[in-house]
Amino acid sequence: MSNTQTSSSHGKLIAAVVAAALVVVLALVSAFIWPGWALNKGGEARSQGTTSQGASQGASEPTTPSIDAVALPDDASELLKAMPDSVLNFARTKAAAGTSWSGASPVEEYTLTYSTGTDGQEVTLEVAQWSQGEDAQSQYDNLTGAMTGKELGSGNVKVSGEATGAYSAKTDPNDETKAIAVWRNDTVVFQATGAKDSVRRFYQQFPL
């Protein structure tokens, strides 16, 4: 009887150890393989003041809009159709042809506004596309070269693990409560401007 009890206890101990090991393995898999959890989708980011502190702040902020997005015109181009109806709790409230970068001769350009419904939290998004990646890169370089405020974040834009561009975010040198974020994804360049907290949340979650 004593030998049987010892074997049973030993077996239960082994089962408990195996179960504990499986819990650890599953936790690691969830953290570093499951998409969008522990891995930074922006890739190779170098940020200042937007890591753990920004994440903890974002956790308590709303993630769905309280206002409806304005519909796009029926003849909207494929680029304009690709613009999301909402980003977190920012809903698209305006979309029109843009001319800010006409000197750089983009194929098409648009100016959009995203809002939470609260005054002062709007984000203005300028987006344009070029036929060649080199032209988009040149526009990106010109825009980021003119940014002289405090750096909020920078790094590479990646799609399926491949670098397709870069991003840079800085405060407005004339008003540190505002910010500018510029990023390039292949032939398309984006620029988001507005209140610093709004821009920080917006560009980090923008899907393109």
Side-chain angles (χ1 to χ4, degrees):
M1 286 293 292
S2 60
N3 290 337
T4 302
Q5 291 175 342
T6 300
S7 298
S8 176
S9 299
H10 185 64
K12 291 179 180 179
L13 178 60
I14 292 176
V17 171
V18 170
L22 285 174
V23 169
V24 173
V25 170
L26 288 173
L28 290 174
V29 168
S30 297
F32 296 103
I33 297 179
W34 193 262
W37 194 75
L39 298 182
N40 182 354
K41 291 182 180 179
E44 299 181 14
R46 299 185 304 276
S47 61
Q48 296 179 357
T50 59
T51 52
S52 59
Q53 182 178 0
S56 62
Q57 291 174 345
S60 62
E61 294 171 333
T63 58
T64 55
S66 60
I67 58 175
D68 294 331
V70 172
L72 295 173
D74 294 336
D75 60 350
S77 69
E78 291 304 312
L79 176 62
L80 190 54
K81 289 179 182 178
M83 298 301 105
D85 290 344
S86 63
V87 178
L88 295 176
N89 60 322
F90 296 89
R92 184 185 60 238
T93 57
K94 292 181 183 178
T99 58
S100 299
W101 301 340
S102 58
S105 302
V107 175
E108 52 185 319
E109 178 184 357
Y110 302 97
T111 301
L112 301 95
T113 300
Y114 285 83
S115 174
T116 63
T118 301
D119 289 342
Q121 293 185 359
E122 299 86 359
V123 173
T124 299
L125 179 69
E126 198 77 22
V127 54
Q129 185 169 28
W130 284 260
S131 57
Q132 301 292 328
E134 292 83 357
D135 295 330
Q137 179 66 53
S138 177
Q139 177 66 4
Y140 174 83
D141 291 341
N142 289 336
L143 292 172
T144 55
M147 295 164 60
T148 58
K150 179 182 177 180
E151 183 174 339
L152 299 175
S154 63
N156 291 329
V157 172
K158 289 189 175 183
V159 176
S160 299
E162 296 293 329
T164 58
Y167 72 90
S168 177
K170 293 185 178 181
T171 59
D172 185 327
N174 299 316
D175 186 349
E176 286 207 350
T177 66
K178 298 180 180 180
I180 304 168
V182 177
W183 65 100
R184 179 182 72 85
N185 188 347
D186 197 13
T187 59
V188 183
V189 176
F190 305 83
Q191 178 180 268
T193 58
K196 182 170 66 174
D197 288 343
S198 295
V199 170
R200 173 184 58 80
R201 297 180 63 230
F202 184 87
Y203 90 85
Q204 290 179 347
Q205 295 298 322
F206 196 82
L208 300 176

